[in-house]
Amino acid sequence: MYKLSGVTKRYSRGKETVDALRGIDLVIEDGDQLVIQGPTGGGKSTLLQMIGGLDRPTSGSVELDGVDLGRLSEAKLTKVRSENIGIIFQSFNLIPTLTAQENVETALVPMGTKTAERRRLAAEALTAVGLGERLGHLPSELSGGQQQRVAIARALVKKPKVLLADEPTGNLDEGTRDEIMALLEGLWQEYGLTFILVTHDSAIAKNAPRLATIKQGLVTVTEQRQAVRL
Ligand SMILES: Nc1ncnc2c1ncn2[C@@H]1O[C@H](COP(=O)(O)OP(=O)(O)OP(=O)(O)O)[C@@H](O)[C@H]1O
């Protein structure tokens, strides 16, 4: 479970300061899906970075299962992140010189998983996202939707409890967006993930069970429907 209490984030640009988050209180239960929407510059990505332990709040706390991420040492935070949190981005962030399978394997390196086991798990994760026939392809040999599938496999191969997605369909056409969203929805349910998704896309926001709207660093949560479970 996530518990955010009074989270603020102030960025300093020279003499100027930007209050990107201005006191966020939010609870996200295990297995829940939360969609974060809001105008550009509202603080969506900043909030996701706090939740993912990629950055620390200026004040307040971000607790994951009772552990305050902002107070962990860099080494402990890296460990929590690499074991528990999978992240996907708009721009896929794949390594261009590595094959799909090798890209997915990189997520298992910090855990010390042996080479043969890494290969097997990466192949399994790629098969789960529909790319079992493309293990040896480079990112440049795959479509945008397929590259995002590789990134999803990389995020999930370590079996994290949390999946974070920052505009995962922002670079995809509508049809591919729907395919990727259907895949993510299915994986969320199958793996019982806590799934937190940032989007500009109002069609995705409309379908979300729980919607957090963030404007000028402040959040409002709306319950839109009961999460549909398989
Ligand atoms: N590293 C940084 N240094 C300084 N200011 C920053 C930094 N990152 C974000 N900001 C500022 O913080 C505010 C919130 O930015 P953030 O990226 O979280 O918004 P967003 O809602 O994700 O926007 P978008 O939809 O455009 O991605 C903005 O005013 C932005 O300019």
Side-chain angles (χ1 to χ4, degrees):
M1 182 184 92
Y2 271 106
K3 184 164 186 247
L4 281 68
S5 311
V7 174
T8 72
K9 181 67 184 179
R10 170 169 285 186
Y11 291 112
S12 299
R13 291 182 188 132
K15 282 185 191 151
E16 278 177 39
T17 56
V18 177
D19 288 306
L21 301 177
R22 300 193 297 158
I24 308 274
D25 297 314
L26 190 61
V27 171
I28 309 164
E29 301 287 348
D30 287 347
D32 265 9
Q33 181 186 144
L34 178 73
V35 170
I36 302 173
Q37 198 199 22
T40 183
K44 301 180 295 296
S45 298
T46 303
L47 179 59
L48 204 70
Q49 286 187 350
M50 302 298 139
I51 292 172
L54 296 168
D55 200 352
R56 297 169 196 265
T58 304
S59 65
S61 59
V62 177
E63 288 179 15
L64 175 58
D65 298 336
V67 176
D68 184 349
L69 300 183
R71 292 185 179 275
L72 292 179
S73 66
E74 208 49 54
K76 285 208 175 113
L77 186 58
T78 304
K79 187 168 188 303
V80 168
R81 229 176 23 223
S82 61
E83 289 175 358
N84 298 290
I85 304 173
I87 310 185
I88 56 173
F89 300 93
Q90 175 170 355
S91 49
F92 322 133
N93 292 5
L94 299 176
I95 300 173
T97 52
L98 299 183
T99 64
Q101 188 168 20
E102 290 163 347
N103 264 286
V104 175
E105 282 182 48
T106 60
L108 296 170
V109 172
M111 261 102 84
T113 312
K114 298 256 161 40
T115 313
E117 182 68 352
R118 282 206 313 256
R119 291 223 173 101
R120 189 184 69 74
L121 290 170
E124 200 178 278
L126 283 163
T127 303
V129 298
L131 287 181
E133 309 296 311
R134 305 286 180 128
L135 304 184
H137 284 59
L138 293 171
S140 59
E141 297 165 341
L142 298 169
S143 70
Q146 289 169 336
Q147 290 183 54
Q148 193 58 296
R149 284 172 192 262
V150 176
I152 293 168
R154 181 180 57 186
L156 295 182
V157 70
K158 60 197 185 187
K159 309 220 163 33
K161 63 179 292 183
V162 178
L163 176 64
L164 306 181
D166 196 351
E167 297 274 8
T169 58
N171 276 343
L172 305 174
D173 62 48
E174 253 180 45
T176 314
R177 173 196 74 184
D178 293 347
E179 277 173 35
I180 292 291
M181 282 313 299
L183 174 68
L184 288 170
E185 194 84 12
L187 293 167
W188 163 56
Q189 300 207 4
E190 189 180 338
Y191 296 141
L193 296 163
T194 304
F195 179 29
I196 304 167
L197 167 80
V198 163
T199 186
H200 270 118
D201 191 324
S202 44
I204 294 174
K206 212 169 70 191
N207 270 322
R210 197 163 175 243
L211 181 66
T213 306
I214 176 159
K215 284 185 192 154
Q216 297 183 334
L218 291 170
V219 82
T220 319
V221 175
T222 320
E223 309 287 340
Q224 304 200 115
R225 63 170 161 85
Q226 279 303 101
V228 182
R229 307 267 168 188
L230 288 177

